Amino acid sequence: MAGRLDDVVISVEAATSVDDDLVTAVGALIPQLSSSSSPPSKEALARIVDAEGATLFVARDDGHGQIVGMLTLIVFERSEEHTSELQSHHD
């Protein structure tokens, strides 16, 4: 049946370094998300990969090793004071 993905296996991993394959893949993926955003440079990707609190996940087609998707997760902590202030505005 056309369109079935029964034989496709996708693995997700955190990018730990930036190489030409990652730059090329991100360059192909960004236009799918935004027609006005330009893809980040190799240096900008390196800043994301190296940033504390940021993780760039890439999804690879295990059959070909090609990057077919990505997600950037940003984690940050809020102070108790900031959390209390937000709660007081909500109440």
Side-chain angles (χ1 to χ4, degrees):
M1 175 189 290
R4 290 193 55 132
L5 299 175
D6 293 336
D7 297 329
V8 175
V9 176
I10 302 294
S11 61
V12 177
E13 60 193 38
T16 56
S17 63
V18 177
D19 58 17
D20 291 338
D21 288 339
L22 180 61
V23 174
T24 299
V26 171
L29 291 167
I30 292 294
Q32 295 177 37
L33 300 171
S34 172
S35 61
S36 62
S37 295
S38 56
S41 66
K42 188 172 189 174
E43 293 76 21
L45 280 174
R47 286 193 300 274
I48 293 168
V49 168
D50 294 338
E52 187 168 330
T55 304
L56 175 62
F57 290 99
V58 294
R60 290 186 185 272
D61 176 343
D62 280 351
H64 300 79
Q66 179 181 8
I67 297 173
V68 295
M70 66 180 185
L71 170 123
T72 305
L73 176 65
I74 306 294
V75 177
F76 61 95
E77 295 183 33
R78 292 191 296 212
S79 68
E80 292 274 335
E81 179 181 321
H82 186 215
T83 303
S84 296
E85 182 180 329
L86 289 173
Q87 183 63 37
S88 68
H89 288 295
H90 178 50
D91 293 339

